[in-house]
Amino acid sequence: KTTHKELKQIENFAIQLKNKAIQTRERAKQWKRKHQTSVQVFSDNLLKLKKVKLKMANYYQKMKEFTYEYNKYVKFYKKVYFFYKKCPVKICNSTGCKCLH
């Protein structure tokens, strides 16, 4: 036969188990929320990274185009510069310029 004291101990033990279960469930909910937040933050960062990569690719393409244009102008101005430097007297018409030595 169980005594009143033993019943009280069993009841207390049951209450402790119930409280632990509630705490565990709360921790699980918190972990789930944190996990979802982490996943969301990770997804957002991944999206931002993709956008940055795209921007970088665009800038890289623009830089390549700019470099190409710049080199074209440099070549053209070098030709013009050397032409005028080497040629003291020029005769120009609609077809272009000729050098008189």
Side-chain angles (χ1 to χ4, degrees):
K1 192 175 179 181
T2 36
T3 62
H4 177 71
K5 188 179 176 187
E6 287 173 329
L7 280 174
K8 202 68 178 151
Q9 285 176 336
I10 292 168
E11 191 184 337
N12 286 341
F13 184 65
I15 289 170
Q16 286 174 356
L17 280 179
K18 182 182 164 193
N19 288 340
K20 277 190 176 176
I22 290 170
Q23 289 172 354
T24 304
R25 189 172 64 210
E26 282 306 309
R27 278 202 300 273
K29 282 181 185 175
Q30 287 174 359
W31 183 86
K32 188 179 176 188
R33 275 196 299 272
K34 271 186 186 174
H35 177 66
Q36 285 173 337
T37 305
S38 298
V39 167
Q40 189 59 47
V41 167
F42 180 74
S43 298
D44 291 349
N45 287 342
L46 205 60
L47 198 63
K48 285 177 188 171
L49 190 65
K50 283 181 182 174
K51 286 179 183 174
V52 168
K53 264 177 95 175
L54 195 63
K55 279 185 182 175
M56 288 298 288
N58 287 342
Y59 285 134
Y60 180 69
Q61 186 59 37
K62 284 180 183 169
M63 283 302 292
K64 274 173 66 176
E65 289 167 11
F66 172 78
T67 304
Y68 175 74
E69 290 295 317
Y70 174 78
N71 288 339
K72 257 187 3 187
Y73 285 119
V74 166
K75 283 178 187 171
F76 172 73
Y77 284 117
K78 276 184 179 174
K79 282 182 187 174
V80 170
Y81 173 75
F82 285 120
F83 177 73
Y84 281 99
K85 190 177 175 188
K86 289 178 183 174
C87 184
V89 182
K90 293 158 218 45
I91 295 178
C92 298
N93 57 23
S94 59
T95 57
C97 293
K98 290 182 181 173
C99 195
L100 293 178
H101 291 287

